[in-house]
Amino acid sequence: VSSKFKVHITTPHAPCIIHPSVASAPPTFYPAFLLTLNWNQSFLSLPSQSFNNTVSLPCCCLMTIETLPDEILRHVLIFLDPTEIILDIVHCSTRLAQISSSDNFWRFKCIDQYLNNNTLPLTPSGVAELTTKQLQQCCIISYRRKTCGNWLSPERNENDLYCWPGLILPTREEANENNDDNGRYCLCSSRDRGEEAIENVLAENDYNWEEIVRDHSTRKDADDYAERFVSDFDGRFWSSAPSNLSKPEDTNEVLLFTTKRRAIITEVAIKPLLEPFSLFMKTVFRWPRISIKIYSLPQKNDNKALKITKDMFSSVGEEMCRVAGSRFDRFRNTDHRLDQRAIIEAVLSNHNPVYESPIMDVTSRDNSWQYYAIPDGVVGNLITFTLHGKTFEQHLGSGFYVCVERISARGVPLI
């Protein structure tokens, strides 16, 4: 019954359980008690609490499913497919419907499911914020991810919107249309030139994630990527401001993106830029290490995209403003390049991430997709990528850069 023990029942009839009143162990001991029930005519053999001998009990002590305690039934239901519980179990009896529809049952099932899968469990605050339907949705997504052999397939219909992952970041067109002094969907800690804006890395539509994962796991040679680069690259990318330092511990760049709506985030991917201005230098402006954080910021309407507004960073002093124009674009460094690091820090200062990855080494040396699966149960509306360190200069003495060609993220919008 417990996740630490197995239950072995061998009987020609329906599964049964011993009434706690006739067993040597107290009722609270059963969830962690190793039971081996063997059918022997009209008796069941039960190991004693000390596991040194066997106690035989008459079958008249058995209980039916209708007389089992709620705690036992709830524990049994924990192990079932969440879809079967929602579609089938609730129709078996009124009592089962009451147990399997309760808010506490689904909160416990979420945490139990994530712990058993060795993934990050929902935090107590995260569980408390979700409705019963949203908890059910989290369980279904986790179960499908574990059992479905084609999880990354892009093929889905409109009915799959709330149970199958899709693109959750705004498109490039949506981000550019909504960029104004009232808010932004994405920010960057620095930028080199005006046309190398962070909005350039957003996709126009969802990618084939099977190719992204294959790209991530299979190394390609530089000539292969150069050929693909000519056909796939549309000339748009983001570039950091140059830095005199290159080591990961010396410098980093932070990229911030909000989602179209609050979602169960399942995976993210980022693709570094291959040198676009030279046919001979196949430099990839990559980063030695990367870390990812996901936040769940409060918003008035979870069905709309979170927008970074001026009141979120009102604490940032006006003395940082170097040029006139949009409130977001007035923050510049000493070289008058865009510097939104202070805005990002102010926006996130009073919020803890619901998910934080370790700082991961980037082993790929080409511009293939870097794919990262997000653990089950991560619900958020804001994603940050921190690129630790810079590897290459554009030319001798230019300073070190990191450049991103594309970023994408998938998830399931909350009901």
Side-chain angles (χ1 to χ4, degrees), residues 234-268:
D234 62 0
R236 299 185 180 185
F237 61 93
W238 166 83
S239 173
S240 71
S243 172
N244 294 327
L245 304 173
S246 64
K247 294 181 179 180
E249 59 269 21
D250 294 333
T251 181
N252 66 65
E253 297 290 341
V254 182
L255 310 181
L256 180 151
F257 302 88
T258 64
T259 61
K260 291 181 178 181
R261 53 191 296 185
R262 198 180 303 274
I264 305 165
I265 301 174
T266 56
E267 48 248 324
V268 299

Side-chain angles (χ1 to χ4, degrees), residues 257-304:
F257 302 88
T258 64
T259 61
K260 291 181 178 181
R261 53 191 296 185
R262 198 180 303 274
I264 305 165
I265 301 174
T266 56
E267 48 248 324
V268 299
I270 182 171
K271 187 177 183 183
L273 177 72
L274 180 69
E275 170 62 59
F277 306 114
S278 173
L279 296 177
F280 305 102
M281 291 182 59
K282 296 182 174 63
T283 302
V284 179
F285 292 98
R286 56 189 176 83
W287 40 91
R289 299 175 188 170
I290 187 173
S291 59
I292 300 163
K293 294 181 182 180
I294 296 175
Y295 294 81
S296 183
L297 270 60
Q299 60 183 113
K300 293 181 179 179
N301 188 348
D302 285 342
N303 294 325
K304 291 185 178 181

Side-chain angles (χ1 to χ4, degrees), residues 10-37:
T10 55
T11 168
H13 302 288
C16 303
I17 191 166
I18 300 298
H19 194 290
S21 63
V22 299
S24 58
T28 54
F29 183 71
Y30 271 93
F33 195 87
L34 178 63
L35 298 179
T36 303
L37 306 184

Side-chain angles (χ1 to χ4, degrees), residues 116-156:
N116 288 336
N117 292 344
N118 295 319
T119 58
L120 179 79
L122 285 167
T123 61
S125 59
V127 173
E129 294 171 357
L130 299 182
T131 66
T132 302
K133 288 185 178 295
Q134 291 169 348
L135 290 166
Q136 292 173 345
Q137 188 184 17
C138 285
C139 288
I140 292 173
I141 299 303
S142 175
Y143 187 84
R144 283 194 172 189
R145 187 183 208 174
K146 181 180 179 181
T147 59
C148 182
N150 198 23
W151 169 260
L152 298 168
S153 173
E155 298 179 2
R156 63 186 187 126

Side-chain angles (χ1 to χ4, degrees), residues 80-189:
L80 298 183
D81 176 351
T83 306
E84 291 180 351
I85 297 174
I86 297 170
L87 298 180
D88 300 326
I89 299 299
V90 294
H91 302 295
C92 290
S93 72
T94 302
R95 184 157 174 255
L96 285 175
Q98 291 174 344
I99 294 173
S100 59
S101 301
S102 68
D103 194 64
N104 287 336
F105 168 77
W106 288 101
R107 294 186 196 284
F108 182 80
K109 183 168 176 59
C110 274
I111 296 176
D112 181 80
Q113 193 162 300
Y114 301 142
L115 286 173
N116 288 336
N117 292 344
N118 295 319
T119 58
L120 179 79
L122 285 167
T123 61
S125 59
V127 173
E129 294 171 357
L130 299 182
T131 66
T132 302
K133 288 185 178 295
Q134 291 169 348
L135 290 166
Q136 292 173 345
Q137 188 184 17
C138 285
C139 288
I140 292 173
I141 299 303
S142 175
Y143 187 84
R144 283 194 172 189
R145 187 183 208 174
K146 181 180 179 181
T147 59
C148 182
N150 198 23
W151 169 260
L152 298 168
S153 173
E155 298 179 2
R156 63 186 187 126
N157 55 47
E158 294 181 358
N159 296 328
D160 292 332
L161 176 63
Y162 295 105
C163 58
W164 207 261
L167 185 67
I168 57 173
L169 296 181
T171 64
R172 184 188 304 161
E173 182 180 359
E174 290 170 340
N176 286 324
E177 286 180 353
N178 289 276
N179 268 356
D180 51 40
D181 201 29
N182 295 320
R184 297 286 173 90
Y185 290 147
C186 44
L187 300 172
C188 55
S189 56

